[in-house]
Amino acid sequence: TFPVALSRYDFLQWFEGIVVSGDEKTRKPFADIYEILLDRYGVNPEEAVFIDDSLTNVEGAEIVGINGIHFQGTDQLRETLKEWGI
């Protein structure tokens, strides 16, 4: 379904890198999906932030060293990002 979304939603073109679970044959919350992203794009996990409404997915990111935020609403997200200096 991602190719359909890519053609429908222009904002998806804004991103420099995208990891699609179907292409990678893995998915969140398994560590390898996060590691693929980190390795492919040279991202230091301590400098990354993963935001998701699924606590399980956030915990999966945290296992590989990525800072995680369990999204529970825009106000909560805004406050957490502010606290983190982002």
Side-chain angles (χ1 to χ4, degrees):
T1 60
F2 187 73
V4 173
L6 197 54
S7 67
R8 282 190 186 168
Y9 304 107
D10 291 335
F11 77 91
L12 291 174
Q13 304 300 323
W14 300 348
F15 299 95
E16 292 180 28
I18 296 175
V19 174
V20 179
S21 58
D23 293 341
E24 305 300 337
K25 309 297 187 243
T26 188
R27 61 182 171 78
K28 301 174 290 189
F30 301 112
D32 49 345
I33 192 74
Y34 306 101
E35 290 168 350
I36 288 168
L37 178 116
L38 296 171
D39 293 342
R40 185 172 298 161
Y41 299 104
V43 175
N44 179 345
E46 293 94 24
E47 296 175 351
V49 177
F50 178 80
I51 303 164
D52 200 302
D53 62 347
S54 165
L55 181 57
T56 302
N57 292 343
V58 172
E59 291 169 342
E62 291 174 336
I63 286 171
V64 300
I66 299 171
N67 300 291
I69 298 174
H70 180 211
F71 180 82
Q72 298 173 18
T74 55
D75 291 338
Q76 168 259 350
L77 177 60
R78 185 179 300 110
E79 277 306 307
T80 302
L81 291 172
K82 224 188 278 188
E83 288 170 11
W84 290 7
I86 299 172

